[in-house]
Amino acid sequence: MVKITREHVTYALSALDEPAAVVEPGECVEFETYDCYQGKLLKEGSTFADVDRRFGNPATGPVYIKGAQPGDLLKIEIKKLELGPVGILDIGPTSGALREFFEEPVIRRLPVKDGYLLYNDSIRVPIKPMIGVIGTAPLGEPVSTKAPKDHGGNMDCTRIEEGAVLYLPVFVEGGLLSTGDFHAIMGEGEVANCGVEIEGKATLKIDVVKNTGITYPVLENREQWMTIAYGEDLDEASEKAVKQMFAFLCGQKKLSKVDAGMLIDMAGDLIVCQIVNPYKTVRLEVPKWLIARIKEENESK
C-alpha cells in the first residue's frame, strides 16, 4: 500500500501541484493528515495567535492515478479512518451563526479514547469520523482547501465516512487527489463554527470510472445515493443538488423524467452539510431500494 505522509501538504488544489505519489487504478493509498489548524492548537496554552489563518485546512497529496483523464470519475472507497488522540473544538467571533455572541474565541482540547470523545469528566460522546476536505484538481486557477466546488474540496459532508464510496470528477490528467480536515464528530450543517477538528489517517482505494459525463461529486453508501453541491447561498446549493440528482437518476439509473422527479419529491432528503464557509454545501439523499424497485417495474412492462 502506498503511504503519503503529511509532509506532502497543500493549501489549494491545483493542476500545477507535483504529485506526492503515482498509483495504479485500484490501489489503496494511506493519507496521513493534519487537523485543520495544522496541529498549532494541540499544545496546552496555544491560541489563535499561533495559527496563520491563511493556511487553514491543509490537505495531504496529491496522488496521480494512472489512466485518469478529464471526463472520468475517481471512485474512492473509504476503507478506514483512524483518528489522532486529541480533537480541537472551538467557537468564537469569526465565523458561524453564533459569532455575535462571543467576543473572544474559546478553545477546548478533547481526548479521543476507545471510540468516544471525552467532552468532560462525565460526558462521553460516540465518535463519528468523517473527511471534511477531499478533492481532485480543478481546471484553471487553484481553489483553496477552504472552499467546496465541483471538484470536491471542503464539502464537510458527514456521509464521507468509513464504508462510503465517493465519486469525484477528473478535470486534469491523473486526477490529483488530496484529502484532509478530518472531524471526530460534527453536527449536520456545521452551524456554530466547526466540527471536532482532528488529525488522522485515511485508507482509500482509488479506481477510475471512464466517461460517465458526471461533473459533480456523487456519494453512495449501503442505503443511499447522494449528490453534493455548493453555492454562494443555500438556495443556489440546494437547486444544484436537486438538478444534479435528477440528471444522475435519468442519466445513470435510466429513470424517466417523471419517475426521477417524483422519486425526489417522495423520498429525497435535502440536508445542509455546512454554512460556515463562504460557499455553502448541501447534499440530496435518495434511497437505493426505491430506485431499484422503480427500475424493476419499468423493465418488467
Side-chain angles (χ1 to χ4, degrees):
M1 180 170 62
V2 176
K3 297 185 179 183
I4 313 297
T5 67
R6 61 190 187 186
E7 296 168 2
H8 299 279
V9 67
T10 184
Y11 305 96
L13 303 184
S14 170
L16 302 178
D17 285 342
E18 287 293 323
V22 177
V23 302
E24 297 284 347
E27 275 197 78
C28 285
V29 180
E30 180 186 90
F31 293 80
E32 178 190 39
T33 69
Y34 285 107
D35 66 40
C36 76
Y37 301 122
Q38 204 158 338
K40 300 296 185 182
L41 294 180
L42 288 174
K43 183 179 178 181
E44 287 293 338
S46 56
T47 71
F48 281 103
D50 301 300
V51 178
D52 189 337
R53 299 304 289 268
R54 295 174 299 170
F55 301 110
N57 281 18
T60 299
V63 170
Y64 182 106
I65 298 88
K66 291 182 181 179
Q69 296 291 333
D72 297 339
L73 285 180
L74 294 187
K75 178 184 179 182
I76 304 156
E77 299 179 46
I78 304 172
K79 294 293 189 180
K80 190 175 184 180
L81 288 179
E82 302 172 78
L83 302 182
V86 178
I88 300 295
L89 187 58
D90 65 273
I91 196 163
T94 58
S95 64
L98 300 178
R99 59 188 179 275
E100 66 191 271
F101 299 104
F102 295 89
E103 295 183 1
E104 298 291 337
V106 179
I107 301 168
R108 289 191 177 179
R109 297 164 184 86
L110 306 179
V112 174
K113 187 175 181 180
D114 299 329
Y116 287 87
L117 186 75
L118 308 184
Y119 184 73
N120 57 30
D121 291 340
S122 60
I123 297 176
R124 302 192 313 160
V125 181
I127 60 172
K128 294 180 63 178
M130 55 165 282
I131 296 174
V133 171
I134 184 167
T136 54
L139 275 177
E141 293 295 315
V143 176
S144 168
T145 50
K146 296 180 180 180
K149 287 197 172 179
D150 286 336
H151 66 288
N154 191 25
M155 295 180 284
D156 280 327
C157 173
T158 61
R159 297 291 197 197
I160 304 177
E161 59 189 343
E162 196 170 291
V165 181
L166 177 65
Y167 300 84
L168 290 177
V170 174
F171 295 107
V172 302
E173 184 179 313
L176 298 181
L177 179 72
S178 301
T179 188
D181 184 36
F182 297 175
H183 302 124
I185 189 170
M186 187 190 84
E188 296 286 13
E190 199 177 23
V191 293
N193 188 52
C194 64
V196 178
E197 312 292 339
I198 198 163
E199 62 192 13
K201 293 180 182 178
T203 301
L204 309 178
K205 182 181 178 182
I206 309 168
D207 215 332
V208 178
V209 184
K210 305 298 289 185
N211 300 317
T212 65
I214 294 174
T215 58
Y216 45 84
V218 175
L219 184 65
E220 70 167 314
N221 57 27
R222 289 185 179 182
E223 294 82 24
Q224 299 151 320
W225 282 103
M226 293 160 265
T227 51
I228 306 171
Y230 76 97
E232 292 188 356
D233 56 37
L234 288 176
D235 284 347
E236 181 185 1
S238 299
E239 187 166 332
K240 279 185 182 178
V242 173
K243 289 180 177 178
Q244 288 168 356
M245 178 57 73
F246 182 73
F248 177 80
L249 293 174
C250 293
Q252 305 300 315
K253 298 304 177 182
K254 308 304 180 185
L255 300 189
S256 70
K257 291 180 180 179
V258 170
D259 282 335
M262 287 187 168
L263 187 157
I264 289 170
D265 260 349
M266 181 169 53
D269 290 326
L270 185 67
I271 298 168
V272 177
C273 295
Q274 61 78 23
I275 64 169
V276 298
N277 299 315
Y279 286 118
K280 318 306 179 186
T281 47
V282 304
R283 69 178 182 271
L284 183 65
E285 304 180 347
V286 297
K288 284 182 171 180
W289 74 266
L290 188 52
I291 299 172
R293 286 297 302 275
I294 292 174
K295 285 183 68 175
E296 289 170 6
E297 287 291 324
N298 289 341
E299 289 168 359
S300 66
K301 293 178 180 177

